[in-house]
Amino acid sequence: MLTESFIASTLNLEKLSNSVIPGVHIYDFQPLPALKSTFKKSSTSTNCLAVSPSHVFAAQADKAVIHVYSRERKNQEAIVPFPEKIQSIVLSGESDGSGTLILGTEGGRVILWELGTGRQVSTPQHHLHSTTCLAVDPTSNFLLSGSPDSTIHVWSIPALLSFSASPANEYGHDLPFSPFRSLSNHRAAITALVFGHSFSDKNIAVSASKDNTCIVWDYLNGDALHTFLLPSSPLCLALDPADRAVYAGYEDGSVQLIDFYSQGGLTQPLHNPNLQSAPTQPPLSDRWSAPDHSASSLLCLQVSYDGTSLISGHQDGKVHSWDVAAGKYDKRLADFAAPITNLVMLKPTGFHETTKPAVRLHNVVKPRYESFVNGDHGTLGVAIPNKYTFTARFTTTLPLPFSADSASFNQALHHSSFPTALLEECFAELSSPQKVLDASMDSSELANLRAQNAALSSQLEVAEERHSSAAAMMLEQKKEDWRRQKDEDIKAARKRRRRLRRAMVAEAARKKEMGEAVDGEDKDMNEGGNDEDEDLSSSTDEMTESD
């Protein structure tokens, strides 16, 4: 049976009662809603929660620290401090459990923390205000950062993590830690950023702003594919799993459906140049509200795995479910009595066993403030810094080495690549002619080579003699077989002639009894038979002499 869960984090407010303990909650969504576990002593703001297969990262709202929780051991693993408060976090490359945690700071910077090595890279301040929104594309190659300064920056994650940096990056910027593109169509603070689910270069990104607009981007080219005019300021976004629509949450607790296929047709109208220039306003019927209209501000949104349900977290601590197919409110899932600032849907469990990642983090490595920390990549051509080690554990059993008594052919056949011994033997054979011609070889090596050549020459002579004798014996045997066959053929011919003469003699005797004259014919017959036997003998002798 498939089981689907989500993780919700809450914000600690001063007016909360002592019985309410904010934290990070793991909650079952399907098949039956139920609370599974809670990580206490955590208070997070919006966009400050990230989840990997092995850990949960929560940036604290009141301190410049990140709480790290282990999902396997179900406890708090570490508290990691930073120089300034963290306003947003997102995980890159979380599929193998050993990715990079990206942080947006209060000073408008972006920090990249490699969880398996402890390396930390920090960019200069490119946002005028704090970095409040972050999003990573499915390939973990591109990063979007948003800020109240209404600007969205597009970053290359491999360029930021590179050990060497050139004076000008591949996109023409003079600084090595600069975004390769900026999107500035919004006129107010950026409230949410989401990426599409495609791995192609036609993937989209969606942004929301307090200017009551929602824009769909071709972030690689910097083009605004379409602009949607909204009736209110969207606070959060959630994209459909098939990129068919995006959902926006408002301060009054309602949900807005923004359908990308509302223009009709079989193709997505976002890439139609004729429809990109004119903004679109979603119809009023696509705005869903709770029946009692008492829902508080909607702070976060998530879509279920199959795209049929929408989960919303609200200011009053309640988590609601919405039916996407029916386009209406469904039910209340939970009440945590504290503002729900973050929701993260977990991958469903219960599928057939799939390929596991090769490595997995057992413990995260805290950032080390060394020479390569805080953006010190070095200059062009610099190798990996000292003390740069990757710490992780293998998730599968490593292949055992081949036993000593196994055949070399089986080793080469079942090896993942060419065996080392085979490669060394091939290299030795390829390099041997060069060694013979090398004048710098010592006398002992030359003597050994001469002795080997002499032994090979003697072996070659013996082999040639054996081959010659074997060939001569085979020729004599063939001659003997030929003579025997010829003798047998002559004997058979003589038997046939004798039978013929006896028949002729019997015929002559019969004629005599009948009174016929047969004396001359009988004499001729006897003489002819003797001559034929002599001819057969002489021909055999001639053939034998010729052979």
Side-chain angles (χ1 to χ4, degrees):
M1 179 184 297
L2 291 180
T3 302
E4 194 170 5
S5 305
F6 64 87
I7 296 181
S9 66
T10 58
L11 177 65
N12 184 17
L13 298 178
E14 296 180 356
K15 61 181 180 180
L16 294 177
S17 61
N18 295 331
S19 61
V20 177
I21 302 178
V24 179
H25 311 277
I26 302 179
Y27 204 88
D28 276 346
F29 174 57
Q30 291 178 355
L32 295 176
L35 180 64
K36 294 178 61 177
S37 60
T38 299
F39 300 117
K40 299 180 180 179
K41 299 180 181 180
S42 177
S43 176
T44 59
S45 301
T46 307
N47 302 325
C48 289
L49 182 70
V51 181
S52 74
S54 58
H55 291 83
V56 176
F57 305 90
Q60 301 304 297
D62 53 349
K63 301 177 182 178
V65 298
I66 289 182
H67 288 184
V68 181
Y69 301 95
S70 174
R71 294 179 58 184
E72 297 177 349
R73 298 184 292 272
K74 301 185 183 301
N75 61 355
Q76 184 173 357
E77 181 178 306
I79 298 177
V80 183
F82 288 90
E84 52 185 326
K85 285 186 178 181
I86 306 301
Q87 300 294 325
S88 58
I89 61 175
V90 69
L91 199 60
S92 171
E94 72 274 11
S95 59
D96 58 356
S98 57
T100 301
L101 188 67
I102 304 177
L103 305 87
T105 68
E106 189 177 27
R109 296 179 176 84
V110 174
I111 298 177
L112 293 89
W113 168 25
E114 292 183 354
L115 301 176
T117 64
R119 178 179 176 228
Q120 178 179 322
V121 177
S122 178
T123 68
Q125 181 181 3
H126 284 279
H127 286 292
L128 300 179
H129 297 283
S130 57
T131 306
T132 55
C133 303
L134 291 174
V136 173
D137 77 317
T139 64
S140 296
N141 288 325
F142 298 99
L143 168 71
L144 292 181
S145 64
S147 171
D149 62 3
S150 73
T151 303
I152 301 172
H153 292 319
V154 186
W155 308 78
S156 172
I157 297 178
L160 294 176
L161 294 176
S162 175
F163 288 106
S164 60
S166 60
N169 61 22
E170 58 179 327
Y171 300 102
H173 288 272
D174 295 334
L175 297 177
F177 308 113
S178 300
F180 71 85
R181 180 162 285 110
S182 296
L183 312 176
S184 57
N185 288 35
H186 287 292
R187 296 296 179 264
I190 306 299
T191 57
L193 294 171
V194 290
F195 267 107
H197 301 86
S198 174
F199 284 77
S200 68
D201 56 356
K202 296 300 182 182
N203 192 26
I204 61 173
V206 186
S207 63
S209 173
K210 288 187 177 181
D211 60 2
N212 297 1
T213 61
C214 178
I215 301 179
V216 183
W217 300 92
D218 181 355
Y219 57 92
L220 293 179
N221 298 326
D223 299 330
L225 300 179
H226 201 80
T227 301
F228 294 92
L229 304 179
L230 305 180
S232 182
S233 298
L235 301 181
C236 54
L237 293 175
L239 196 61
D240 177 79
D243 296 347
R244 298 168 298 183
V246 67
Y247 306 94
Y250 295 134
E251 292 184 0
D252 61 356
S254 61
V255 176
Q256 177 72 61
L257 167 63
I258 304 175
D259 189 359
F260 295 156
Y261 289 86
S262 59
Q263 300 293 334
L266 299 178
T267 59
Q268 196 177 70
L270 295 178
H271 297 278
N272 187 350
N274 298 327
L275 302 176
Q276 292 177 0
S277 58
T280 303
Q281 186 172 4
L284 296 177
S285 59
D286 289 342
R287 186 172 182 177
W288 311 332
S289 300
D292 54 0
H293 299 280
S294 61
S296 60
S297 297
L298 201 157
L299 303 180
C300 48
L301 274 175
Q302 282 292 309
V303 184
S304 63
Y305 174 77
D306 56 5
T308 60
S309 298
L310 191 67
I311 303 174
S312 61
H314 296 261
Q315 180 73 28
D316 58 2
K318 295 181 176 60
V319 179
H320 295 286
S321 175
W322 306 76
D323 190 340
V324 174
K328 62 180 182 179
Y329 174 84
D330 185 15
K331 60 184 177 181
R332 187 181 71 180
L333 294 177
D335 187 359
F336 296 106
I340 307 297
T341 53
N342 295 277
L343 287 173
V344 176
M345 293 296 299
L346 302 179
K347 294 182 178 179
T349 59
F351 286 110
H352 180 70
E353 187 68 19
T354 56
T355 304
K356 295 182 179 180
V359 296
R360 191 170 186 176
L361 285 182
H362 183 66
N363 293 309
V364 298
V365 181
K366 294 183 178 180
R368 296 192 302 269
Y369 296 92
E370 299 178 2
S371 60
F372 56 87
V373 175
N374 293 330
D376 186 8
H377 291 209
T379 58
L380 183 62
V382 175
I384 298 176
N386 296 328
K387 300 181 180 180
Y388 182 77
T389 57
F390 178 77
T391 304
R393 64 176 179 177
F394 292 101
T395 58
T396 57
T397 304
L398 294 178
L400 297 176
F402 292 99
S403 59
D405 57 349
S406 61
S408 59
F409 175 77
N410 291 332
Q411 291 185 10
L413 181 63
H414 296 93
H415 202 278
S416 59
S417 61
F418 290 103
T420 305
L422 182 60
L423 292 176
E424 293 177 353
E425 182 180 357
C426 295
F427 290 152
E429 293 179 359
L430 291 174
S431 60
S432 59
Q434 183 65 27
K435 292 177 62 177
V436 174
L437 298 176
D438 192 357
S440 62
M441 296 176 61
D442 55 8
S443 59
S444 61
E445 292 181 354
L446 290 175
N448 292 333
L449 289 176
R450 291 192 183 97
Q452 293 177 6
N453 292 335
L456 291 175
S457 299
S458 61
Q459 293 178 5
L460 182 60
E461 292 177 357
V462 173
E464 289 179 351
E465 291 178 359
R466 290 179 179 177
H467 178 73
S468 299
S469 60
M473 293 175 62
M474 186 177 296
L475 182 60
E476 291 295 332
Q477 183 66 31
K478 287 183 178 180
K479 288 183 177 181
E480 185 65 25
D481 294 341
W482 182 83
R483 291 192 187 98
R484 189 182 301 111
Q485 184 66 33
K486 287 298 182 181
D487 291 341
E488 291 177 357
D489 294 341
I490 292 172
K491 290 178 181 180
R494 286 176 177 176
K495 288 181 181 180
R496 288 194 300 270
R497 291 182 182 278
R498 291 191 188 102
R499 286 196 299 269
L500 181 60
R501 278 199 302 272
R502 286 195 295 269
M504 295 176 67
V505 169
E507 179 66 21
R510 187 187 65 78
K511 289 181 178 182
K512 286 179 181 181
E513 291 178 359
M514 298 297 295
E516 299 178 2
V518 294
D519 294 337
E521 296 177 0
D522 188 21
K523 183 179 180 181
D524 295 338
M525 178 187 66
N526 292 332
E527 292 177 355
N530 294 331
D531 293 340
E532 290 176 356
D533 291 339
E534 291 177 359
D535 292 339
L536 288 173
S537 300
S538 62
S539 63
T540 304
D541 295 339
E542 290 176 359
M543 286 186 293
T544 304
E545 291 175 358
S546 64
D547 293 339

